Amino acid sequence: MSAHTPTSARTWRFYLGGFALLMVFDTLVQVSFKLTGTHAFPPEASWAWVLRIVGHPWIYIALIGYIGSFFTWMSLLKYAPIGPAFAATHLDVVSVMLASAWIFHEALTPVRLLGAGVIMLGILCLALAESGAHPEHDAPTEAKGALGVMAGD
Amino acid sequence: MSALIATLWLINVSLDTGGQLAFKAAASDPRAGDGIARWRYMASRPWLWLGLLAYALHLLSWIAFLSLVDLSKGILLASINMVAIMIAGRLLFREKLSPLRVVGILLVSAGVAIVGASG
């Protein structure tokens, strides 16, 4: 994995486009999981529940989104520095919350917004802690998992 | 949080962490080699399969969890997974926890506690 430094405007557009696409896929996955759970309700430790899950299209849409997210990652991985990349994998918290309010009419209560703000600050610290780390050598397991390092050698 | 939701949350964190650690164990085996041979070696050892099993079960526990809580709340509570995985990486693979990483872990945990305590 080579560590390229972003220089041109073209590179930045590639990053931004890639991360935006990743966020769209991640949000699609979570919204589809929520819809899967709603359709299969109530959750039970039984095959009947698993059959209800696989009997609706949402789980397949979630899996398609998951595959899309994975390949977007693998493409970004070649160039993106690990710090910002780490942050970007977890920034989907923001887009998923917005989608929840929009699609499911969930209340973004002050407590949730405060919690989200504190979590984002934490992610920012973790992202800064990763800058300069090389994924294959000293990045933590979490960052490697998020980056799909396992799948690409 | 009700007892069922809290239990599902704990199962979810455990399976996500277990799966990531299994993948890490599979991928970091120096005997694995390169290219196709590397994948064949990993497929012949249990770690990759344990990781995939943990992920499949994680998927089910996550769907069960999400059917009981709002998505906007669930996604915030799931942020604890990255903390659990970092701490597990520290304990099992002796990964470094720099001061900034510790601050990040504390902030994410505090944010999750704020959301979790709100009922």
Side-chain angles (χ1 to χ4, degrees), chain A residues 86-124:
Chain A
F86 175 87
T89 44
H90 296 290
L91 282 181
D92 61 349
V93 167
V94 174
S95 54
V96 170
M97 284 186 76
L98 292 175
S100 311
W102 177 47
I103 299 170
F104 303 116
H105 309 291
E106 291 179 9
L108 297 185
T109 60
V111 172
R112 276 179 206 175
L113 293 175
L114 174 68
V118 176
I119 289 170
M120 297 319 296
L121 270 180
I123 290 169
L124 185 67

PDB file of all heavy atoms in Angstrom, chain A residues 86-124:
ATOM      1  N   PHE A  86      -9.958   6.844   8.669  1.00  0.00           N
ATOM      2  CA  PHE A  86     -10.543   6.305   9.896  1.00  0.00           C
ATOM      3  C   PHE A  86     -11.754   7.142  10.312  1.00  0.00           C
ATOM      4  O   PHE A  86     -12.822   6.612  10.625  1.00  0.00           O
ATOM      5  CB  PHE A  86      -9.503   6.298  11.013  1.00  0.00           C
ATOM      6  CG  PHE A  86     -10.058   5.872  12.341  1.00  0.00           C
ATOM      7  CD1 PHE A  86     -10.107   4.526  12.675  1.00  0.00           C
ATOM      8  CD2 PHE A  86     -10.548   6.798  13.231  1.00  0.00           C
ATOM      9  CE1 PHE A  86     -10.647   4.130  13.881  1.00  0.00           C
ATOM     10  CE2 PHE A  86     -11.087   6.409  14.437  1.00  0.00           C
ATOM     11  CZ  PHE A  86     -11.135   5.076  14.767  1.00  0.00           C
ATOM     12  N   ALA A  87     -11.566   8.469  10.316  1.00  0.00           N
ATOM     13  CA  ALA A  87     -12.663   9.361  10.707  1.00  0.00           C
ATOM     14  C   ALA A  87     -13.847   9.179   9.772  1.00  0.00           C
ATOM     15  O   ALA A  87     -14.997   9.085  10.211  1.00  0.00           O
ATOM     16  CB  ALA A  87     -12.201  10.809  10.696  1.00  0.00           C
ATOM     17  N   ALA A  88     -13.553   9.088   8.474  1.00  0.00           N
ATOM     18  CA  ALA A  88     -14.622   9.004   7.485  1.00  0.00           C
ATOM     19  C   ALA A  88     -15.461   7.743   7.654  1.00  0.00           C
ATOM     20  O   ALA A  88     -16.668   7.773   7.438  1.00  0.00           O
ATOM     21  CB  ALA A  88     -14.051   9.061   6.083  1.00  0.00           C
ATOM     22  N   THR A  89     -14.845   6.628   8.079  1.00  0.00           N
ATOM     23  CA  THR A  89     -15.635   5.402   8.271  1.00  0.00           C
ATOM     24  C   THR A  89     -16.668   5.588   9.361  1.00  0.00           C
ATOM     25  O   THR A  89     -17.659   4.892   9.386  1.00  0.00           O
ATOM     26  CB  THR A  89     -14.795   4.190   8.723  1.00  0.00           C
ATOM     27  OG1 THR A  89     -13.909   4.596   9.731  1.00  0.00           O
ATOM     28  CG2 THR A  89     -14.129   3.520   7.590  1.00  0.00           C
ATOM     29  N   HIS A  90     -16.382   6.478  10.313  1.00  0.00           N
ATOM     30  CA  HIS A  90     -17.313   6.626  11.436  1.00  0.00           C
ATOM     31  C   HIS A  90     -18.167   7.883  11.341  1.00  0.00           C
ATOM     32  O   HIS A  90     -19.042   8.088  12.155  1.00  0.00           O
ATOM     33  CB  HIS A  90     -16.540   6.598  12.747  1.00  0.00           C
ATOM     34  CG  HIS A  90     -15.862   5.275  12.968  1.00  0.00           C
ATOM     35  ND1 HIS A  90     -16.579   4.129  13.254  1.00  0.00           N
ATOM     36  CD2 HIS A  90     -14.573   4.892  12.893  1.00  0.00           C
ATOM     37  CE1 HIS A  90     -15.739   3.110  13.367  1.00  0.00           C
ATOM     38  NE2 HIS A  90     -14.518   3.546  13.147  1.00  0.00           N
ATOM     39  N   LEU A  91     -17.918   8.704  10.320  1.00  0.00           N
ATOM     40  CA  LEU A  91     -18.732   9.896  10.130  1.00  0.00           C
ATOM     41  C   LEU A  91     -20.137   9.557   9.655  1.00  0.00           C
ATOM     42  O   LEU A  91     -21.014  10.414   9.643  1.00  0.00           O
ATOM     43  CB  LEU A  91     -18.064  10.846   9.127  1.00  0.00           C
ATOM     44  CG  LEU A  91     -16.907  11.656   9.701  1.00  0.00           C
ATOM     45  CD1 LEU A  91     -16.341  12.563   8.636  1.00  0.00           C
ATOM     46  CD2 LEU A  91     -17.369  12.470  10.902  1.00  0.00           C
ATOM     47  N   ASP A  92     -20.340   8.282   9.289  1.00  0.00           N
ATOM     48  CA  ASP A  92     -21.678   7.895   8.857  1.00  0.00           C
ATOM     49  C   ASP A  92     -22.691   8.045   9.995  1.00  0.00           C
ATOM     50  O   ASP A  92     -23.885   8.058   9.745  1.00  0.00           O
ATOM     51  CB  ASP A  92     -21.678   6.480   8.272  1.00  0.00           C
ATOM     52  CG  ASP A  92     -21.238   5.433   9.271  1.00  0.00           C
ATOM     53  OD1 ASP A  92     -20.736   5.801  10.338  1.00  0.00           O
ATOM     54  OD2 ASP A  92     -21.404   4.232   8.968  1.00  0.00           O
ATOM     55  N   VAL A  93     -22.193   8.193  11.235  1.00  0.00           N
ATOM     56  CA  VAL A  93     -23.089   8.477  12.363  1.00  0.00           C
ATOM     57  C   VAL A  93     -23.972   9.691  12.035  1.00  0.00           C
ATOM     58  O   VAL A  93     -25.176   9.674  12.249  1.00  0.00           O
ATOM     59  CB  VAL A  93     -22.264   8.746  13.652  1.00  0.00           C
ATOM     60  CG1 VAL A  93     -23.138   9.337  14.737  1.00  0.00           C
ATOM     61  CG2 VAL A  93     -21.626   7.463  14.139  1.00  0.00           C
ATOM     62  N   VAL A  94     -23.354  10.723  11.458  1.00  0.00           N
ATOM     63  CA  VAL A  94     -24.080  11.949  11.146  1.00  0.00           C
ATOM     64  C   VAL A  94     -25.138  11.701  10.072  1.00  0.00           C
ATOM     65  O   VAL A  94     -26.315  12.048  10.245  1.00  0.00           O
ATOM     66  CB  VAL A  94     -23.106  13.057  10.677  1.00  0.00           C
ATOM     67  CG1 VAL A  94     -23.874  14.287  10.217  1.00  0.00           C
ATOM     68  CG2 VAL A  94     -22.136  13.409  11.790  1.00  0.00           C
ATOM     69  N   SER A  95     -24.725  11.060   8.968  1.00  0.00           N
ATOM     70  CA  SER A  95     -25.678  10.864   7.877  1.00  0.00           C
ATOM     71  C   SER A  95     -26.780   9.879   8.275  1.00  0.00           C
ATOM     72  O   SER A  95     -27.934  10.036   7.861  1.00  0.00           O
ATOM     73  CB  SER A  95     -24.959  10.399   6.610  1.00  0.00           C
ATOM     74  OG  SER A  95     -24.186   9.259   6.865  1.00  0.00           O
ATOM     75  N   VAL A  96     -26.454   8.886   9.101  1.00  0.00           N
ATOM     76  CA  VAL A  96     -27.484   7.932   9.542  1.00  0.00           C
ATOM     77  C   VAL A  96     -28.490   8.633  10.455  1.00  0.00           C
ATOM     78  O   VAL A  96     -29.699   8.407  10.348  1.00  0.00           O
ATOM     79  CB  VAL A  96     -26.847   6.714  10.260  1.00  0.00           C
ATOM     80  CG1 VAL A  96     -27.908   5.856  10.935  1.00  0.00           C
ATOM     81  CG2 VAL A  96     -26.060   5.867   9.267  1.00  0.00           C
ATOM     82  N   MET A  97     -28.015   9.542  11.322  1.00  0.00           N
ATOM     83  CA  MET A  97     -28.948  10.277  12.187  1.00  0.00           C
ATOM     84  C   MET A  97     -29.877  11.159  11.362  1.00  0.00           C
ATOM     85  O   MET A  97     -31.081  11.220  11.619  1.00  0.00           O
ATOM     86  CB  MET A  97     -28.169  11.123  13.207  1.00  0.00           C
ATOM     87  CG  MET A  97     -27.593  10.278  14.328  1.00  0.00           C
ATOM     88  SD  MET A  97     -26.816  11.273  15.608  1.00  0.00           S
ATOM     89  CE  MET A  97     -28.243  11.892  16.469  1.00  0.00           C
ATOM     90  N   LEU A  98     -29.307  11.822  10.363  1.00  0.00           N
ATOM     91  CA  LEU A  98     -30.148  12.674   9.503  1.00  0.00           C
ATOM     92  C   LEU A  98     -31.177  11.829   8.756  1.00  0.00           C
ATOM     93  O   LEU A  98     -32.349  12.200   8.663  1.00  0.00           O
ATOM     94  CB  LEU A  98     -29.273  13.455   8.521  1.00  0.00           C
ATOM     95  CG  LEU A  98     -28.367  14.527   9.146  1.00  0.00           C
ATOM     96  CD1 LEU A  98     -27.453  15.137   8.088  1.00  0.00           C
ATOM     97  CD2 LEU A  98     -29.210  15.609   9.818  1.00  0.00           C
ATOM     98  N   ALA A  99     -30.740  10.675   8.255  1.00  0.00           N
ATOM     99  CA  ALA A  99     -31.655   9.784   7.535  1.00  0.00           C
ATOM    100  C   ALA A  99     -32.752   9.273   8.475  1.00  0.00           C
ATOM    101  O   ALA A  99     -33.906   9.128   8.063  1.00  0.00           O
ATOM    102  CB  ALA A  99     -30.880   8.614   6.927  1.00  0.00           C
ATOM    103  N   SER A 100     -32.403   9.002   9.739  1.00  0.00           N
ATOM    104  CA  SER A 100     -33.394   8.515  10.715  1.00  0.00           C
ATOM    105  C   SER A 100     -34.477   9.553  10.952  1.00  0.00           C
ATOM    106  O   SER A 100     -35.664   9.215  11.071  1.00  0.00           O
ATOM    107  CB  SER A 100     -32.736   8.210  12.060  1.00  0.00           C
ATOM    108  OG  SER A 100     -31.601   7.415  11.896  1.00  0.00           O
ATOM    109  N   ALA A 101     -34.053  10.814  11.027  1.00  0.00           N
ATOM    110  CA  ALA A 101     -35.017  11.884  11.269  1.00  0.00           C
ATOM    111  C   ALA A 101     -35.920  12.064  10.045  1.00  0.00           C
ATOM    112  O   ALA A 101     -37.135  12.231  10.163  1.00  0.00           O
ATOM    113  CB  ALA A 101     -34.289  13.182  11.576  1.00  0.00           C
ATOM    114  N   TRP A 102     -35.295  11.965   8.862  1.00  0.00           N
ATOM    115  CA  TRP A 102     -36.009  12.223   7.616  1.00  0.00           C
ATOM    116  C   TRP A 102     -36.943  11.054   7.264  1.00  0.00           C
ATOM    117  O   TRP A 102     -38.133  11.244   7.009  1.00  0.00           O
ATOM    118  CB  TRP A 102     -34.988  12.473   6.508  1.00  0.00           C
ATOM    119  CG  TRP A 102     -35.579  12.692   5.157  1.00  0.00           C
ATOM    120  CD1 TRP A 102     -36.631  13.509   4.847  1.00  0.00           C
ATOM    121  CD2 TRP A 102     -35.168  12.076   3.933  1.00  0.00           C
ATOM    122  NE1 TRP A 102     -36.893  13.436   3.491  1.00  0.00           N
ATOM    123  CE2 TRP A 102     -36.011  12.578   2.908  1.00  0.00           C
ATOM    124  CE3 TRP A 102     -34.156  11.158   3.588  1.00  0.00           C
ATOM    125  CZ2 TRP A 102     -35.882  12.180   1.582  1.00  0.00           C
ATOM    126  CZ3 TRP A 102     -34.016  10.771   2.269  1.00  0.00           C
ATOM    127  CH2 TRP A 102     -34.876  11.284   1.280  1.00  0.00           C
ATOM    128  N   ILE A 103     -36.417   9.827   7.276  1.00  0.00           N
ATOM    129  CA  ILE A 103     -37.179   8.672   6.797  1.00  0.00           C
ATOM    130  C   ILE A 103     -38.090   8.108   7.892  1.00  0.00           C
ATOM    131  O   ILE A 103     -39.243   7.772   7.631  1.00  0.00           O
ATOM    132  CB  ILE A 103     -36.224   7.575   6.276  1.00  0.00           C
ATOM    133  CG1 ILE A 103     -35.407   8.127   5.097  1.00  0.00           C
ATOM    134  CG2 ILE A 103     -37.001   6.330   5.842  1.00  0.00           C
ATOM    135  CD1 ILE A 103     -34.272   7.239   4.650  1.00  0.00           C
ATOM    136  N   PHE A 104     -37.582   7.995   9.115  1.00  0.00           N
ATOM    137  CA  PHE A 104     -38.365   7.337  10.174  1.00  0.00           C
ATOM    138  C   PHE A 104     -38.988   8.343  11.143  1.00  0.00           C
ATOM    139  O   PHE A 104     -39.584   7.946  12.130  1.00  0.00           O
ATOM    140  CB  PHE A 104     -37.480   6.347  10.925  1.00  0.00           C
ATOM    141  CG  PHE A 104     -36.849   5.297  10.037  1.00  0.00           C
ATOM    142  CD1 PHE A 104     -35.472   5.226   9.881  1.00  0.00           C
ATOM    143  CD2 PHE A 104     -37.651   4.402   9.337  1.00  0.00           C
ATOM    144  CE1 PHE A 104     -34.902   4.272   9.054  1.00  0.00           C
ATOM    145  CE2 PHE A 104     -37.077   3.440   8.504  1.00  0.00           C
ATOM    146  CZ  PHE A 104     -35.699   3.380   8.362  1.00  0.00           C
ATOM    147  N   HIS A 105     -38.808   9.623  10.886  1.00  0.00           N
ATOM    148  CA  HIS A 105     -39.353  10.684  11.740  1.00  0.00           C
ATOM    149  C   HIS A 105     -38.935  10.525  13.188  1.00  0.00           C
ATOM    150  O   HIS A 105     -39.723  10.738  14.107  1.00  0.00           O
ATOM    151  CB  HIS A 105     -40.887  10.745  11.616  1.00  0.00           C
ATOM    152  CG  HIS A 105     -41.343  10.810  10.191  1.00  0.00           C
ATOM    153  ND1 HIS A 105     -41.129  11.926   9.399  1.00  0.00           N
ATOM    154  CD2 HIS A 105     -41.942   9.889   9.395  1.00  0.00           C
ATOM    155  CE1 HIS A 105     -41.618  11.677   8.183  1.00  0.00           C
ATOM    156  NE2 HIS A 105     -42.099  10.449   8.159  1.00  0.00           N
ATOM    157  N   GLU A 106     -37.697  10.076  13.393  1.00  0.00           N
ATOM    158  CA  GLU A 106     -37.195   9.944  14.759  1.00  0.00           C
ATOM    159  C   GLU A 106     -36.845  11.333  15.299  1.00  0.00           C
ATOM    160  O   GLU A 106     -36.440  12.214  14.535  1.00  0.00           O
ATOM    161  CB  GLU A 106     -35.958   9.045  14.781  1.00  0.00           C
ATOM    162  CG  GLU A 106     -36.285   7.594  14.462  1.00  0.00           C
ATOM    163  CD  GLU A 106     -35.056   6.697  14.456  1.00  0.00           C
ATOM    164  OE1 GLU A 106     -33.969   7.165  14.863  1.00  0.00           O
ATOM    165  OE2 GLU A 106     -35.180   5.535  14.045  1.00  0.00           O
ATOM    166  N   ALA A 107     -36.990  11.494  16.615  1.00  0.00           N
ATOM    167  CA  ALA A 107     -36.681  12.788  17.230  1.00  0.00           C
ATOM    168  C   ALA A 107     -35.188  12.885  17.525  1.00  0.00           C
ATOM    169  O   ALA A 107     -34.628  12.012  18.186  1.00  0.00           O
ATOM    170  CB  ALA A 107     -37.473  12.934  18.520  1.00  0.00           C
ATOM    171  N   LEU A 108     -34.541  13.905  16.961  1.00  0.00           N
ATOM    172  CA  LEU A 108     -33.130  14.135  17.292  1.00  0.00           C
ATOM    173  C   LEU A 108     -33.119  14.985  18.570  1.00  0.00           C
ATOM    174  O   LEU A 108     -33.004  16.197  18.534  1.00  0.00           O
ATOM    175  CB  LEU A 108     -32.403  14.825  16.138  1.00  0.00           C
ATOM    176  CG  LEU A 108     -32.330  14.019  14.837  1.00  0.00           C
ATOM    177  CD1 LEU A 108     -31.480  14.730  13.803  1.00  0.00           C
ATOM    178  CD2 LEU A 108     -31.780  12.610  15.084  1.00  0.00           C
ATOM    179  N   THR A 109     -33.270  14.290  19.697  1.00  0.00           N
ATOM    180  CA  THR A 109     -33.390  14.971  20.993  1.00  0.00           C
ATOM    181  C   THR A 109     -32.082  15.665  21.353  1.00  0.00           C
ATOM    182  O   THR A 109     -31.017  15.284  20.848  1.00  0.00           O
ATOM    183  CB  THR A 109     -33.724  13.951  22.095  1.00  0.00           C
ATOM    184  OG1 THR A 109     -32.665  12.989  22.131  1.00  0.00           O
ATOM    185  CG2 THR A 109     -35.039  13.236  21.808  1.00  0.00           C
ATOM    186  N   PRO A 110     -32.132  16.686  22.233  1.00  0.00           N
ATOM    187  CA  PRO A 110     -30.892  17.362  22.654  1.00  0.00           C
ATOM    188  C   PRO A 110     -29.871  16.377  23.215  1.00  0.00           C
ATOM    189  O   PRO A 110     -28.667  16.522  22.963  1.00  0.00           O
ATOM    190  CB  PRO A 110     -31.380  18.334  23.736  1.00  0.00           C
ATOM    191  CG  PRO A 110     -32.816  18.577  23.418  1.00  0.00           C
ATOM    192  CD  PRO A 110     -33.329  17.312  22.799  1.00  0.00           C
ATOM    193  N   VAL A 111     -30.334  15.364  23.959  1.00  0.00           N
ATOM    194  CA  VAL A 111     -29.401  14.374  24.531  1.00  0.00           C
ATOM    195  C   VAL A 111     -28.673  13.618  23.417  1.00  0.00           C
ATOM    196  O   VAL A 111     -27.461  13.421  23.466  1.00  0.00           O
ATOM    197  CB  VAL A 111     -30.153  13.382  25.452  1.00  0.00           C
ATOM    198  CG1 VAL A 111     -29.236  12.253  25.880  1.00  0.00           C
ATOM    199  CG2 VAL A 111     -30.708  14.106  26.667  1.00  0.00           C
ATOM    200  N   ARG A 112     -29.421  13.194  22.383  1.00  0.00           N
ATOM    201  CA  ARG A 112     -28.790  12.472  21.264  1.00  0.00           C
ATOM    202  C   ARG A 112     -27.793  13.368  20.530  1.00  0.00           C
ATOM    203  O   ARG A 112     -26.716  12.925  20.143  1.00  0.00           O
ATOM    204  CB  ARG A 112     -29.848  11.976  20.287  1.00  0.00           C
ATOM    205  CG  ARG A 112     -30.437  10.653  20.741  1.00  0.00           C
ATOM    206  CD  ARG A 112     -31.496  10.148  19.798  1.00  0.00           C
ATOM    207  NE  ARG A 112     -32.389   9.287  20.574  1.00  0.00           N
ATOM    208  CZ  ARG A 112     -33.485   8.736  20.111  1.00  0.00           C
ATOM    209  NH1 ARG A 112     -33.847   8.946  18.865  1.00  0.00           N
ATOM    210  NH2 ARG A 112     -34.224   7.980  20.877  1.00  0.00           N
ATOM    211  N   LEU A 113     -28.177  14.641  20.331  1.00  0.00           N
ATOM    212  CA  LEU A 113     -27.269  15.555  19.621  1.00  0.00           C
ATOM    213  C   LEU A 113     -26.008  15.810  20.447  1.00  0.00           C
ATOM    214  O   LEU A 113     -24.895  15.832  19.906  1.00  0.00           O
ATOM    215  CB  LEU A 113     -27.985  16.872  19.290  1.00  0.00           C
ATOM    216  CG  LEU A 113     -29.117  16.735  18.260  1.00  0.00           C
ATOM    217  CD1 LEU A 113     -29.850  18.054  18.099  1.00  0.00           C
ATOM    218  CD2 LEU A 113     -28.558  16.280  16.907  1.00  0.00           C
ATOM    219  N   LEU A 114     -26.185  15.955  21.776  1.00  0.00           N
ATOM    220  CA  LEU A 114     -25.022  16.143  22.650  1.00  0.00           C
ATOM    221  C   LEU A 114     -24.122  14.909  22.591  1.00  0.00           C
ATOM    222  O   LEU A 114     -22.903  15.007  22.395  1.00  0.00           O
ATOM    223  CB  LEU A 114     -25.486  16.397  24.094  1.00  0.00           C
ATOM    224  CG  LEU A 114     -24.376  16.463  25.142  1.00  0.00           C
ATOM    225  CD1 LEU A 114     -23.510  17.698  24.926  1.00  0.00           C
ATOM    226  CD2 LEU A 114     -24.952  16.466  26.566  1.00  0.00           C
ATOM    227  N   GLY A 115     -24.747  13.721  22.736  1.00  0.00           N
ATOM    228  CA  GLY A 115     -23.985  12.467  22.664  1.00  0.00           C
ATOM    229  C   GLY A 115     -23.245  12.357  21.342  1.00  0.00           C
ATOM    230  O   GLY A 115     -22.060  12.012  21.297  1.00  0.00           O
ATOM    231  N   ALA A 116     -23.935  12.682  20.242  1.00  0.00           N
ATOM    232  CA  ALA A 116     -23.320  12.607  18.914  1.00  0.00           C
ATOM    233  C   ALA A 116     -22.125  13.551  18.834  1.00  0.00           C
ATOM    234  O   ALA A 116     -21.066  13.184  18.306  1.00  0.00           O
ATOM    235  CB  ALA A 116     -24.349  12.952  17.840  1.00  0.00           C
ATOM    236  N   GLY A 117     -22.268  14.769  19.391  1.00  0.00           N
ATOM    237  CA  GLY A 117     -21.177  15.742  19.359  1.00  0.00           C
ATOM    238  C   GLY A 117     -19.948  15.237  20.104  1.00  0.00           C
ATOM    239  O   GLY A 117     -18.821  15.339  19.599  1.00  0.00           O
ATOM    240  N   VAL A 118     -20.168  14.659  21.292  1.00  0.00           N
ATOM    241  CA  VAL A 118     -19.048  14.147  22.094  1.00  0.00           C
ATOM    242  C   VAL A 118     -18.376  12.974  21.371  1.00  0.00           C
ATOM    243  O   VAL A 118     -17.145  12.877  21.319  1.00  0.00           O
ATOM    244  CB  VAL A 118     -19.537  13.742  23.507  1.00  0.00           C
ATOM    245  CG1 VAL A 118     -18.413  13.108  24.314  1.00  0.00           C
ATOM    246  CG2 VAL A 118     -20.088  14.957  24.249  1.00  0.00           C
ATOM    247  N   ILE A 119     -19.202  12.101  20.777  1.00  0.00           N
ATOM    248  CA  ILE A 119     -18.650  10.955  20.036  1.00  0.00           C
ATOM    249  C   ILE A 119     -17.821  11.441  18.840  1.00  0.00           C
ATOM    250  O   ILE A 119     -16.728  10.934  18.576  1.00  0.00           O
ATOM    251  CB  ILE A 119     -19.780   9.999  19.581  1.00  0.00           C
ATOM    252  CG1 ILE A 119     -20.358   9.276  20.809  1.00  0.00           C
ATOM    253  CG2 ILE A 119     -19.274   8.970  18.559  1.00  0.00           C
ATOM    254  CD1 ILE A 119     -21.635   8.498  20.531  1.00  0.00           C
ATOM    255  N   MET A 120     -18.327  12.453  18.120  1.00  0.00           N
ATOM    256  CA  MET A 120     -17.582  12.969  16.958  1.00  0.00           C
ATOM    257  C   MET A 120     -16.236  13.560  17.389  1.00  0.00           C
ATOM    258  O   MET A 120     -15.232  13.390  16.699  1.00  0.00           O
ATOM    259  CB  MET A 120     -18.379  14.054  16.218  1.00  0.00           C
ATOM    260  CG  MET A 120     -19.703  13.631  15.597  1.00  0.00           C
ATOM    261  SD  MET A 120     -19.738  12.046  14.782  1.00  0.00           S
ATOM    262  CE  MET A 120     -18.618  12.346  13.481  1.00  0.00           C
ATOM    263  N   LEU A 121     -16.239  14.254  18.540  1.00  0.00           N
ATOM    264  CA  LEU A 121     -14.969  14.777  19.062  1.00  0.00           C
ATOM    265  C   LEU A 121     -13.993  13.634  19.323  1.00  0.00           C
ATOM    266  O   LEU A 121     -12.803  13.724  19.016  1.00  0.00           O
ATOM    267  CB  LEU A 121     -15.213  15.531  20.377  1.00  0.00           C
ATOM    268  CG  LEU A 121     -15.511  17.020  20.300  1.00  0.00           C
ATOM    269  CD1 LEU A 121     -15.728  17.588  21.699  1.00  0.00           C
ATOM    270  CD2 LEU A 121     -14.339  17.743  19.626  1.00  0.00           C
ATOM    271  N   GLY A 122     -14.512  12.561  19.916  1.00  0.00           N
ATOM    272  CA  GLY A 122     -13.685  11.376  20.186  1.00  0.00           C
ATOM    273  C   GLY A 122     -13.122  10.800  18.899  1.00  0.00           C
ATOM    274  O   GLY A 122     -11.934  10.460  18.821  1.00  0.00           O
ATOM    275  N   ILE A 123     -13.982  10.694  17.869  1.00  0.00           N
ATOM    276  CA  ILE A 123     -13.534  10.148  16.581  1.00  0.00           C
ATOM    277  C   ILE A 123     -12.456  11.049  15.975  1.00  0.00           C
ATOM    278  O   ILE A 123     -11.473  10.564  15.399  1.00  0.00           O
ATOM    279  CB  ILE A 123     -14.741   9.978  15.626  1.00  0.00           C
ATOM    280  CG1 ILE A 123     -15.633   8.839  16.141  1.00  0.00           C
ATOM    281  CG2 ILE A 123     -14.282   9.691  14.204  1.00  0.00           C
ATOM    282  CD1 ILE A 123     -16.973   8.745  15.447  1.00  0.00           C
ATOM    283  N   LEU A 124     -12.633  12.362  16.139  1.00  0.00           N
ATOM    284  CA  LEU A 124     -11.628  13.308  15.637  1.00  0.00           C
ATOM    285  C   LEU A 124     -10.273  13.040  16.311  1.00  0.00           C
ATOM    286  O   LEU A 124      -9.236  12.985  15.639  1.00  0.00           O
ATOM    287  CB  LEU A 124     -12.099  14.742  15.912  1.00  0.00           C
ATOM    288  CG  LEU A 124     -11.221  15.855  15.345  1.00  0.00           C
ATOM    289  CD1 LEU A 124     -11.272  15.837  13.821  1.00  0.00           C
ATOM    290  CD2 LEU A 124     -11.679  17.226  15.862  1.00  0.00           C
TER     291      LEU A 124
END
